C-alpha cells in the first residue's frame, strides 16, 4: 500500500427494481451520475440467462456516446461478459457526465422473474478512486 501511487476502484450501477412478466419482453433504462472525473480502465455489463441485450451510454451536455453495446447477450456472458478495455487516458469520464444503462430480457418461463434471479448491472474500473462507487437505482426514490 505504501508504494501505490494511483488507486483504482470499481464503479457499479445496478437496477434491482424490475419484474419481467412471464412470456414477455422487458426493457429498462436508468441513469447514474457520480460527480467525479475518472479515467476508465474497463467497462462491462452483467445480465443472467434471460438477458437479450445491454448498453451503456455516456450523456454529456447534448452528446450521447455509446460506451458499450452488447446487442445479442449470450447466456455464457453471465460469468464471462464481453469486457471493453481502455488504455490510461483513453476514456476520461467527465465529472458532469451521466451514465445510462439499458437492459432487455425475454422471460420464457411461466412465472415473473426479478432481482436477484435476473440482473441489470454495468461495471467499470476507474481511477483515481480509493473506494467503490455504487449507484443502486431505485425508481421509487425522490
Amino acid at each position: 500500500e505504501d508504494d501505490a501511487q494511483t488507486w483504482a476502484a470499481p464503479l457499479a450501477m445496478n437496477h434491482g427494481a424490475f419484474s419481467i412478466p412471464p412470456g414477455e419482453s422487458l426493457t429498462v433504462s436508468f441513469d447514474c451520475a457520480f460527480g467525479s472525473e475518472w479515467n476508465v480502465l474497463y467497462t462491462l455489463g452483467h445480465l443472467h440467462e434471460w438477458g437479450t441485450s445491454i448498453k451503456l451510454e455516456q450523456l454529456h451536455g447534448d452528446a450521447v456516446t455509446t460506451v458499450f453495446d452488447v446487442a445479442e447477450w449470450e447466456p455464457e456472458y453471465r460469468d464471462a461478459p464481453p469486457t471493453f478495455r481502455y488504455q490510461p487516458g483513453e476514456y476520461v469520464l467527465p465529472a458532469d457526465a451521466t451514465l445510462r444503462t439499458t437492459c432487455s430480457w425475454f422471460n420464457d418461463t411461466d412465472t415473473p422473474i426479478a432481482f436477484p434471479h435476473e440482473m441489470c448491472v454495468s461495471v467499470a474500473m476507474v481511477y483515481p478512486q480509493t473506494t467503490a462507487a455504487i449507484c443502486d437505482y431505485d425508481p421509487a426514490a425522490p
Side-chain angles (χ1 to χ4, degrees):
E1 287 183 23
D2 294 338
D3 295 336
Q5 295 178 359
T6 304
W7 289 92
L11 171 71
M13 297 159 280
N14 176 63
H15 185 323
F18 61 85
S19 180
I20 312 161
E24 294 188 23
S25 295
L26 178 69
T27 298
V28 299
S29 292
F30 68 100
D31 294 350
C32 293
F34 294 95
S36 295
E37 180 178 288
W38 288 309
N39 287 277
V40 180
L41 293 172
Y42 66 80
T43 59
L44 59 89
H46 179 70
L47 301 169
H48 289 182
E49 56 268 28
W50 294 278
T52 57
S53 66
I54 186 167
K55 179 168 50 172
L56 180 65
E57 299 170 297
Q58 175 184 293
L59 290 68
H60 189 235
D62 292 334
V64 178
T65 305
T66 299
V67 177
F68 69 75
D69 187 359
V70 182
E72 294 185 25
W73 187 261
E74 300 291 337
E76 60 266 21
Y77 294 165
R78 172 186 177 148
D79 298 316
T83 302
F84 303 87
R85 300 178 192 284
Y86 308 95
Q87 294 299 315
E90 181 181 357
Y91 175 21
V92 177
L93 178 66
D96 57 345
T98 298
L99 294 171
R100 174 172 294 153
T101 302
T102 302
C103 298
S104 296
W105 307 272
F106 178 72
N107 179 354
D108 61 358
T109 75
D110 58 0
T111 58
I113 298 172
F115 182 90
H117 301 290
E118 187 54 82
M119 295 187 174
C120 178
V121 179
S122 290
V123 176
M125 184 63 70
V126 298
Y127 72 92
Q129 182 68 16
T130 57
T131 60
I134 299 170
C135 171
D136 199 8
Y137 176 75
D138 179 359

